[in-house]
Amino acid sequence: MRKLLSILVLISIAGGAAQEIDRKMYTARFCDSTAPVLDGRGDDAIWQQAELGQGFTQNEPDNGAPASEISFFKIVYDADNLYVLIRNQDRQPDRISARLTRRDGDAEVDEAGIVLDSYFDRRTAFAFGVTAAGVRKDLVFSNDGENEDESWDPVWFAATAIDDSGWTAELRIPFNQLRYPDLPEQIWGLEIYRDLARRDETALWQHIPKDASGIVHFFGDLHGLKNLAQPKRVELLPYTVSDLSTGRPEPDNPFAPGRTGHFKGGLDGKAGVTSDLTMDFTINPDFGQVEADPSEVNLTAFETFYEEKRPFFIEGKNIFDYRLVMGDGDLSMDQLFYSRRIGRAPQREIETEDDEYLRSPANTSILGAFKLSGKTRSGLSVGVLDAITQKEEAEIRRGEASQREAVEPLSNYFVSRLQKDYSAGATSVGLMMTGTHRRISIDQLNFLNRAAYTGGIDLRHAWNKQNWLVDFRSAFSHIRGHKEALLEAQTSSARYFQRPDADHVQVDSSRTTLSGTGGSLSFGKVGGGHWRFLVMGIWRTPGLELNDLGYMRQADQLIQVFWAQYRTLKPYGKLRELYTNVNQWQFWNFDGEFIGRGANCNVNLTFTNSWHAGGGISHETRWLGLSALRGGPAIYYPASTNIWYNLSSDDRKAVSFFGRGQNYHNEDGITRSNYYSIGLEARPSAAFSLSLSPSFSYGTEDLQYVDTIETGRGPRYIMGRIDQKNLAMVVRFDYCLTPNLSVQYYGQPFIAAGNYTHFKSVTRPRASVHTDQFKTFSAEEIEYDGENDQYAIDEDSDGQEDFRFDKPDFNFRQFRSNLVLRWEYRAGSTLFLVWSQGRSNSIEEGRFSYRHDMRELFNVYPDNVFLVKCNYWFSL
């Protein structure tokens, strides 16, 4: 499935084919006798009566050539299920790759499956695949294959068997797991695929050209489905969770007894509202089995973006994906809906005295949530999500006295999305709306917006076999709240209205509302041959604010982007595929002030032996950093150059590796950084894999922000030269005893150190010469106060201290791990046994020593969570 997904995504991006579709047709047979028994043998009588589907062609590596091995399939159905038989002949059966992974595992193995466009909208498809080892894989394609959702886990069944002439797959797909119109006779889109791992080959029943425009509209047709019942499609998944947490006991701390336990339950469910629309809901959800976020040290002014990993929010997420810019990369990170906002850590932090103890929740509890999603036969996609999070309180103890204070209000989050397809998907028009409401009852929470609304309209039109397109996306925002909340919004890192050199914006401390707009317009050729290009214009007004329920780093921007790509369509010699990209960009703010420009070029190669290599170089001119001084004046950074490169071996082998690197420097002669990472994966058996991925980065930044100090002679913007080193190691292993029983481990030790020297006060931030931008404190002007870990500054050398700031040096050490046993003990029902461990500490030292830091990290008393979670699926 992973290989099919990669190929189909590349096809969907590549653009339109110039020929008419020679569409195949298959007629399914109604099973009026005994239904097939799933055993992978394919010898049931009904299979002898079914139509034979055959004639597979390669999609990769040699698009359009006959498949290397013969495959055929048959399809029958009864009142409740669709049955599929796929026979995969193989002249070298001893070389069939049948490794075990967990469901939807990422592995290059022999695989076969069916993809169904049951809406018959030529835009949406449901894929069901199974490996030769019997591991199921499933996903949903939308927007003609442009988007995919691998988190979709329907309840269906498969069996496989390997023999001396190949292998056979039998699938049973309940109709209540599919969505289709209420018609007396159905016509569905149909594709059958086969992956032959040893040749890195994917063969398709319905041929799809490599430069095809999308994928789903190329599918063949499945006929013969008559009088299908409309199942109730009501599924319930109640669960119970019991956990035990252990940590270092603190005798005087009532909140740190060393051991605590909890027991709770909840309910997940799914119900078919109509034949096209499904409602998913969750009550008191638990995500204890979810892998922890990676460790990092963030020294920027902006919030880190973390991927969503919670099942309720990742399943069906594509319908709610509204990015302000098409494509991938940093420019397309801004979005109206960022699901990590729901259930986030409480936003109020409470400071305590030395004799006080605090217990504050790590996350906001989700009381309940529901999603309504689907697509009508007329091409209207619908998505509605609503979630309620409870009011969270922290408890403060001083002796026998105890008090509780709110740290997060009762909140409601609402998201709606509509998108209508026209002209077989060549044109689409969409609408997105979000709303956040908080019930704020105490003054200490007035820094949060009481209400926040965002919305947008998007339009996409493609023509000339969808080789050419224009894409328009717009957004608006409106927030309301107490004056304190609006002051927080105006002075946040997304805006910094308080910048003294920003004439077009200003802070209004009496504000109670703020509004803004943003969006993009893109035009280009995205298919039909070797060349593609896009031209983009992007805007975000100063008042745009998406961060209550979306994600946005910076407003007040006008951006122009150009992208061009050349790609090969056929293998040539030892080269299977080549992509070469050129990018160019430039920025302004809404005052018309030029910020900077840059360009890069890169190349990516795939060889016939399935090795991959790539690299690139980028250059940016002198750049105006609007956020560098955290609300102070903008400061120029010198021009910079960055190069990167990577190499990876054939991951079908028992041992594979990758390596990547990056080297950056700017023209001040001081600032530079280097990053190196390698990875090794070993698969000593069909059931076990182990991977190690160490990474190391080090560098020097001459203009790293430290602090802003208010003095009688005006603010002092303090910066320093930081020498920073980061070391991380990601360890994973997977052991699959059966396709339904697996053990997975994830662990990451992470250590970082930052040592600051050459402290300076910014004096002329826009000076053309780098060293004229600041005054570096001399030994006579700066003195370290070791007792208080502070630096005292005498900037006029009169013997009197003028101001001081805290020592910014740091050592940060963290270890996070998850060990998860997952057993799908019956269809749709799962038992999880989880052990999570965390260790963390930080000190103001700044000296990097691998041995010392690792020893100190594992000397930290661990926080452990042992969890048992069991759910039970049943359908009504």
Side-chain angles (χ1 to χ4, degrees):
M1 183 75 72
R2 170 68 63 176
K3 185 166 181 290
L4 172 72
L5 172 61
S6 300
I7 290 170
L8 296 188
V9 168
L10 289 173
I11 288 173
S12 70
I13 294 173
Q19 72 275 8
E20 295 297 324
I21 299 173
D22 183 15
R23 202 180 305 278
K24 292 184 175 182
M25 186 182 77
Y26 182 90
T27 302
R29 178 182 177 85
F30 180 72
C31 182
D32 51 9
S33 58
T34 304
V37 177
L38 262 65
D39 55 13
R41 296 168 59 90
D43 55 2
D44 301 89
I46 188 63
W47 291 128
Q48 308 307 314
Q49 305 170 32
E51 180 181 324
L52 182 68
Q54 55 187 341
F56 285 65
T57 58
Q58 291 185 47
N59 189 276
E60 288 285 355
D62 191 2
N63 187 267
S68 300
E69 300 285 353
I70 295 174
S71 301
F72 63 82
F73 68 94
K74 297 181 179 182
I75 301 175
V76 300
Y77 69 100
D78 59 20
D80 300 313
N81 302 282
L82 187 77
Y83 301 89
V84 184
L85 168 70
I86 305 176
R87 174 60 186 174
N88 306 291
Q89 297 288 102
D90 200 317
R91 289 166 291 182
Q92 297 177 283
D94 57 322
R95 298 187 63 189
I96 292 173
S97 178
R99 285 170 38 208
L100 278 171
T101 67
R102 63 170 295 178
R103 183 172 181 169
D104 295 326
D106 182 10
E108 294 291 336
V109 294
D110 281 61
E111 181 182 332
I114 183 171
V115 192
L116 297 168
D117 173 13
S118 55
Y119 287 126
F120 201 53
D121 63 355
R122 302 296 188 191
R123 299 281 293 168
T124 311
F126 304 89
F128 302 84
V130 63
T131 72
V135 178
R136 289 169 296 155
K137 301 186 177 185
D138 34 57
L139 59 90
V140 179
F141 292 108
S142 57
N143 293 334
D144 202 12
E146 182 179 342
N147 300 324
E148 69 286 335
D149 180 5
E150 296 180 84
S151 64
W152 180 60
D153 282 330
V155 178
W156 60 287
F157 308 87
T160 60
I162 300 174
D163 54 48
D164 58 5
S165 60
W167 67 283
T168 303
E170 289 184 297
L171 286 63
R172 176 165 71 87
I173 304 169
F175 286 124
N176 63 13
Q177 301 299 299
L178 295 169
R179 302 177 187 179
Y180 49 87
D182 188 5
L183 297 172
E185 184 169 357
Q186 306 277 338
I187 301 177
W188 293 356
L190 173 67
E191 182 65 280
I192 306 292
Y193 72 91
R194 177 188 180 179
D195 286 342
L196 184 62
R198 68 176 178 273
R199 286 182 50 86
D200 206 9
E201 175 182 305
T202 294
L204 303 177
W205 171 66
Q206 172 68 57
H207 174 60
I208 301 178
K210 192 167 186 175
D211 64 345
S213 165
I215 60 166
V216 181
H217 80 273
F218 263 88
F219 284 6
D221 289 347
L222 175 61
H223 291 252
L225 302 175
K226 299 179 180 180
N227 301 316
L228 296 186
Q230 288 294 324
K232 295 179 180 180
R233 291 193 292 125
V234 176
E235 303 173 25
L236 298 177
L237 192 70
Y239 79 85
T240 59
V241 173
S242 178
D243 67 72
L244 173 67
S245 300
T246 66
R248 180 186 292 276
E250 300 176 27
D252 297 328
N253 187 346
F255 303 131
R259 178 175 299 191
T260 58
H262 302 89
F263 179 84
K264 71 173 186 177
L267 176 67
D268 298 330
K270 187 188 299 284
V273 179
T274 69
S275 61
D276 300 314
L277 301 176
T278 299
M279 183 178 72
D280 295 84
F281 61 89
T282 182
I283 300 172
N284 196 30
D286 175 84
F287 306 111
Q289 76 276 17
V290 173
E291 187 177 284
D293 291 319
S295 303
E296 71 155 15
V297 172
N298 184 354
L299 298 179
T300 73
F302 306 112
E303 172 191 14
T304 299
F305 182 92
Y306 288 112
E307 294 294 333
E308 180 61 84
K309 300 178 182 180
R310 298 169 297 177
F312 178 82
F313 293 104
I314 58 176
E315 184 173 340
K317 64 182 179 181
N318 288 329
I319 185 63
F320 300 107
D321 187 356
Y322 191 103
R323 299 171 186 265
L324 270 63
V325 180
M326 66 179 295
D328 297 318
D330 291 344
L331 292 177
S332 63
M333 292 181 67
D334 292 1
Q335 51 199 279
L336 298 193
F337 178 48
Y338 176 43
S339 57
R340 294 289 293 259
R341 301 294 184 206
I342 303 174
R344 68 190 301 175
Q347 297 176 77
R348 182 189 173 201
E349 296 182 0
I350 297 178
E351 295 184 0
T352 58
E353 302 295 334
D354 291 341
D355 59 346
E356 291 180 332
Y357 296 97
L358 174 71
R359 177 170 61 188
S360 186
N363 295 290
T364 305
S365 299
I366 301 173
L367 298 176
F370 81 87
K371 289 185 298 185
L372 180 69
S373 62
K375 187 170 187 177
T376 68
R377 183 170 176 78
S378 65
L380 179 65
S381 297
V382 178
V384 178
L385 182 147
D386 193 80
I388 299 175
T389 59
Q390 75 175 20
K391 175 183 178 181
E392 296 289 356
E393 294 182 327
E395 185 177 358
I396 304 168
R397 290 275 186 93
R398 175 185 287 177
E400 296 299 319
S402 175
Q403 68 181 72
R404 303 181 71 89
E405 293 191 19
V407 291
E408 187 76 19
L410 178 71
S411 303
N412 178 257
Y413 301 91
F414 175 80
V415 185
S416 63
R417 173 72 161 143
L418 297 174
Q419 190 172 43
K420 181 71 166 68
D421 294 333
Y422 299 93
S423 304
T427 301
S428 64
V429 179
L431 172 69
M432 179 85 166
M433 297 288 291
T434 79
T436 303
H437 295 88
R438 299 183 178 95
R439 182 178 294 175
I440 296 175
S441 56
I442 63 170
D443 292 344
Q444 289 86 346
L445 294 177
N446 278 338
F447 69 93
L448 298 173
N449 296 323
R450 292 180 181 273
Y453 307 98
T454 68
I457 296 174
D458 60 305
L459 167 67
R460 182 184 185 277
H461 176 64
W463 66 95
N464 188 19
K465 299 295 182 181
Q466 302 192 33
N467 288 338
W468 293 79
L469 69 76
V470 60
D471 182 281
F472 172 75
R473 306 178 185 205
S474 65
F476 77 86
S477 68
H478 179 74
I479 59 174
R480 298 177 181 177
H482 189 272
K483 291 183 291 185
E484 184 180 344
L486 271 295
L487 183 62
E488 185 84 12
Q490 294 175 81
T491 58
S492 73
S493 61
R495 271 162 292 281
Y496 286 140
F497 282 3
Q498 71 272 33
R499 277 183 27 235
D501 57 346
D503 298 330
H504 63 298
V505 293
Q506 56 277 324
V507 174
D508 181 353
S509 59
S510 64
R511 263 189 184 274
T512 56
T513 65
L514 182 68
S515 301
T517 67
S520 65
L521 177 63
S522 305
F523 164 78
K525 180 178 181 289
V526 294
H530 297 281
W531 287 97
R532 300 187 290 164
F533 77 91
L534 275 176
V535 178
M536 296 183 185
I538 306 165
W539 84 94
R540 302 180 185 94
T541 65
L544 184 65
E545 174 57 278
L546 307 180
N547 287 317
D548 285 272
L549 190 47
Y551 183 88
M552 183 188 74
R553 288 196 173 189
Q554 201 162 7
D556 192 14
Q557 290 183 329
L558 292 167
I559 309 171
Q560 173 268 317
V561 178
F562 173 77
W563 164 79
Q565 182 187 81
Y566 175 83
R567 62 171 293 189
T568 59
L569 300 176
K570 286 283 188 178
Y572 180 78
K574 296 292 185 180
L575 187 66
R576 173 177 292 182
E577 201 163 41
L578 175 146
Y579 288 84
T580 300
N581 298 282
V582 176
N583 300 276
Q584 170 271 327
W585 59 91
Q586 48 189 343
F587 285 68
W588 297 263
N589 65 19
F590 264 73
D591 196 29
E593 185 174 31
F594 183 68
I595 306 302
R597 63 169 57 94
N600 74 39
C601 63
N602 59 79
V603 61
N604 297 280
L605 307 169
T606 301
F607 300 97
T608 53
N609 63 356
S610 295
W611 282 52
H612 303 267
I617 182 170
S618 69
H619 180 78
E620 288 186 330
T621 63
R622 196 164 179 251
W623 193 270
L624 190 60
L626 302 180
S627 61
L629 296 180
R630 310 302 195 264
I635 183 171
Y636 273 114
Y637 282 89
S640 62
T641 301
N642 186 36
I643 63 171
W644 64 95
Y645 36 86
N646 61 80
L647 176 69
S648 60
S649 68
D650 183 356
D651 59 6
R652 298 171 300 169
K653 303 298 185 181
V655 178
S656 60
F657 76 91
F658 73 83
R660 63 174 71 103
Q662 180 175 318
N663 307 107
Y664 167 93
H665 73 275
N666 73 24
E667 293 180 0
D668 64 12
I670 299 171
T671 299
R672 61 185 63 246
S673 65
N674 301 278
Y675 170 85
Y676 303 101
S677 176
I678 59 173
L680 178 68
E681 183 173 8
R683 293 172 289 274
S685 73
F688 182 78
S689 66
L690 171 67
S691 67
L692 305 174
S693 301
S695 63
F696 179 61
S697 64
Y698 63 95
T700 300
E701 169 60 62
D702 194 42
L703 292 178
Q704 176 62 51
Y705 176 79
V706 175
D707 203 353
T708 299
I709 309 297
E710 295 294 338
T711 74
R713 287 174 283 188
R716 297 294 184 261
Y717 302 104
I718 308 302
M719 305 190 89
R721 180 183 299 174
I722 181 176
D723 292 308
Q724 184 177 351
K725 295 181 175 67
N726 298 331
L727 178 66
M729 167 78 82
V730 176
V731 181
R732 296 180 184 273
F733 76 72
D734 293 82
Y735 182 47
C736 298
L737 290 84
T738 73
N740 297 320
L741 177 60
S742 63
V743 179
Q744 288 188 306
Y745 175 79
Y746 163 84
Q748 185 198 38
F750 175 84
I751 56 177
N755 180 50
Y756 287 77
T757 58
H758 296 79
F759 293 102
K760 59 206 71 174
S761 176
V762 176
T763 54
R764 297 173 57 203
R766 295 178 183 242
S768 57
V769 178
H770 175 65
T771 53
D772 292 342
Q773 294 177 284
F774 49 82
K775 175 189 176 184
T776 301
F777 298 122
S778 66
E780 292 75 25
E781 295 172 322
I782 185 169
E783 182 179 357
Y784 177 58
D785 177 0
E787 183 177 347
N788 296 301
D789 277 336
Q790 292 181 327
Y791 287 96
I793 305 298
D794 176 13
E795 63 178 349
D796 52 9
S797 301
D798 63 356
Q800 299 295 318
E801 177 184 317
D802 294 305
F803 58 88
R804 58 174 49 213
F805 56 88
D806 292 333
K807 177 184 178 182
D809 294 357
F810 64 86
N811 280 72
F812 178 71
R813 307 155 182 144
Q814 188 171 67
F815 175 72
R816 289 176 170 176
S817 69
N818 294 79
L819 179 65
V820 180
L821 182 146
R822 181 185 184 276
W823 177 32
E824 188 174 354
Y825 59 91
R826 65 185 301 272
S829 304
T830 310
L831 173 69
F832 295 95
L833 302 180
V834 182
W835 171 34
S836 299
Q837 184 179 101
R839 303 167 186 255
S840 182
N841 83 336
S842 59
I843 58 173
E844 298 175 352
E845 183 179 272
R847 182 178 64 90
F848 181 89
S849 169
Y850 170 76
R851 290 185 179 181
H852 175 74
D853 284 322
M854 291 296 288
R855 182 171 61 249
E856 289 299 307
L857 172 60
F858 285 98
N859 282 338
V860 174
Y861 199 94
D863 294 316
N864 294 292
V865 177
F866 302 93
L867 178 146
V868 179
K869 178 178 180 179
C870 184
N871 58 40
Y872 186 87
W873 177 88
F874 59 95
S875 178
L876 301 179

